[in-house]
């Protein structure tokens, strides 16, 4: 899922800074999403919201992205503790 978002971002010729400006999601969290390091993001609700915003910004299906990250989290990738 992180690779799909990164690939879509590159296809749109957008930098991670462009996505951060458009979505208001901090660069460190966008980079964590692309690398699937969800333990660096504080809380599941933030992860899902940030992934949804990222997907929207690069023209991917928001529902697919949220479903994909939800499945990954259910498989044991843990968010950071706030």
């Amino acid at each position: 899922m992180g690779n799909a978002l990164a690939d879509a971002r590159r296809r749109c010729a957008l930098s991670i800074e462009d996505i951060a400006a458009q979505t208001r999601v901090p660069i460190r969290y966008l980079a964590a999403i692309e690398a699937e390091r969800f333990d660096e993001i504080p809380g599941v609700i933030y992860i899902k919201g940030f992934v949804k915003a990222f997907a929207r910004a690069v023209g991917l299906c928001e529902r697919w992205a949220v479903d994909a990250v939800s499945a990954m989290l259910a498989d044991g990738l843990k968010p950071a503790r706030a």
Side-chain angles (χ1 to χ4, degrees):
M1 188 276 309
N3 285 335
L5 289 169
D7 289 344
R9 176 180 59 78
R10 286 188 286 271
R11 278 195 304 275
C12 292
L14 295 169
S15 69
I16 205 157
E17 293 82 7
D18 294 331
I19 300 298
Q22 184 177 344
T23 63
R24 298 185 181 167
V25 174
I27 292 169
R28 69 182 179 275
Y29 294 147
L30 295 171
I33 290 167
E34 286 188 353
E36 298 179 0
R37 294 187 318 261
F38 302 114
D39 61 322
E40 297 179 17
I41 303 172
V44 173
I45 195 73
Y46 288 103
I47 294 169
K48 290 180 180 182
F50 293 164
V51 165
K52 183 176 180 177
F54 197 151
R56 182 183 319 120
V58 297
L60 294 180
C61 176
E62 296 170 30
R63 183 176 190 129
W64 168 82
V66 171
D67 288 349
V69 78
S70 295
M72 294 174 83
L73 293 171
D75 285 342
L77 293 176
K78 302 293 182 201
R81 294 199 180 244

